């Protein structure tokens, strides 16, 4: 799974190949050396045993243990199922070096709950676009509703997104969208069905995404 501003699987494969061959720059070595602790942090934060993780990813418990303590360097084939299971992007898992072009270097941001926020725009004012990746959650999670000035348009890419909007408790599936005034108390969350990815367009009060349905809308 690659995202705008991410190095993508091909570049990650190059980074890993260089690392494993021993011909890497010091900065790349330091970046990749942190993968093990990052993997362990993700597992412990979700209270998952190595045995369960091995069953879910197809990677042996001994290999997972060695990866976490830094005794083994991960391959792309190992990182892919781990990123998929944790519901995070590959570049956030590896914490790949920044690109030189700030216009396309929109770094993912990791949150305390394990979710990833990926900004897709970088300009002052106007509608701001973000991609959210939420790890699998619990169906009995008590929503922490918030409200603020603005308008939100959300579109589900993969998985099931729970949206609590005022007194409504909605479950949006891939391909479904919702738009609402953010002054209405709201909350987004995942379910026990697995991780969820969705796009969010956020604008100031009264500013909405214009959806064109025909030439008459020009």
């Amino acid at each position: 799974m690659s995202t705008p501003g991410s190095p993508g699987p091909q570049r990650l494969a190059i980074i890993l190949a260089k690392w494993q061959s021993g011909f890497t720059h010091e900065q790349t070595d330091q970046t990749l050396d942190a993968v093990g602790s990052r993997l362990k942090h993700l597992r412990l934060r979700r209270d998952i045993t190595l045995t369960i993780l091995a069953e879910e990813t197809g990677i042996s418990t001994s290999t997972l243990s060695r990866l976490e303590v830094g005794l083994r360097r991960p391959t792309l084939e190992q990182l892919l199922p781990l990123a998929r299971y944790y519901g995070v992007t590959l570049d956030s898992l590896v914490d790949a070096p920044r690109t030189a072009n700030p216009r396309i270097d929109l770094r993912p941001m990791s949150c305390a709950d394990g979710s990833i926020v990926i900004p897709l725009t970088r300009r002052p004012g106007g509608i701001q676009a973000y991609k959210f990746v939420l790890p699998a959650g619990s169906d009995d999670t008590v929503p922490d509703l918030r409200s603020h000035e603005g308008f939100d348009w959300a579109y589900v890419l993969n998985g099931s997104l729970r949206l609590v909007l005022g007194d409504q408790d909605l479950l949006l599936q891939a391909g479904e969208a919702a738009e609402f005034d953010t002054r209405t108390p709201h909350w987004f969350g995942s379910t026990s069905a697995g991780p969820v990815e969705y796009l969010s367009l956020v604008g100031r009060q009264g500013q909405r995404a214009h959806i064109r349905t025909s030439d008459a809308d020009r």
Side-chain angles (χ1 to χ4, degrees):
M1 175 173 56
S2 62
T3 60
S6 73
Q10 184 175 5
R11 185 179 168 208
L12 281 169
I14 294 173
I15 292 173
L16 289 169
K18 287 183 177 180
W19 184 27
Q20 291 171 328
S21 64
F23 295 99
T24 55
H25 295 298
E26 182 178 354
Q27 182 180 5
T28 303
D29 283 334
Q30 293 174 348
T31 297
L32 294 176
D33 281 343
V35 174
S37 60
R38 193 172 296 112
L39 289 173
K40 185 173 183 178
H41 177 70
L42 283 169
R43 181 175 63 82
L44 294 179
R45 186 165 59 189
R46 288 164 174 74
D47 195 24
I48 300 168
T49 65
L50 286 172
T51 301
I52 293 177
L53 186 59
E55 293 173 352
E56 295 293 334
T57 62
I59 304 172
S60 69
T61 54
S62 60
T63 297
L64 290 170
S65 177
R66 290 171 66 85
L67 288 174
E68 289 188 353
V69 298
L71 295 178
R72 179 165 180 168
R73 292 171 174 173
T75 64
L76 184 59
E77 289 73 19
Q78 293 165 343
L79 289 175
L80 283 170
L82 287 168
R84 188 179 301 115
Y85 178 76
Y86 287 128
V88 300
T89 60
L90 276 173
D91 49 340
S92 66
L93 191 60
V94 178
D95 193 20
R98 299 178 68 91
T99 62
N101 189 340
R103 291 175 298 177
I104 62 173
D105 186 21
L106 301 173
R107 285 295 285 249
M109 297 173 287
S110 300
C111 303
D113 61 356
S115 61
I116 303 293
V117 182
I118 306 165
L120 303 179
T121 54
R122 179 172 293 184
R123 61 187 179 88
I127 293 179
Q128 304 295 318
Y130 302 89
K131 177 180 178 180
F132 289 84
V133 182
L134 310 182
S138 173
D139 295 331
D140 58 1
T141 297
V142 178
D144 179 18
L145 278 66
R146 304 292 178 89
S147 61
H148 53 87
E149 291 290 325
F151 200 86
D152 197 340
W153 183 87
Y155 177 82
V156 183
L157 296 170
N158 292 296
S160 300
L161 177 66
R162 183 183 175 194
L163 167 61
V164 178
L165 183 61
D167 58 358
Q168 302 181 75
D169 197 332
L170 309 171
L171 191 62
L172 305 179
Q173 304 298 335
E176 294 188 309
E179 56 179 340
F180 57 93
D181 188 320
T182 55
R183 290 178 297 186
T184 302
H186 58 280
W187 174 85
F188 290 105
S190 57
T191 69
S192 61
V196 59
E197 299 177 65
Y198 69 97
L199 298 176
S200 178
L201 301 181
V202 183
R204 62 179 180 272
Q205 190 59 47
Q207 184 179 33
R208 306 186 179 195
H210 178 65
I211 302 175
R212 177 178 168 182
T213 57
S214 68
D215 289 340
D217 290 335
R218 288 183 175 177

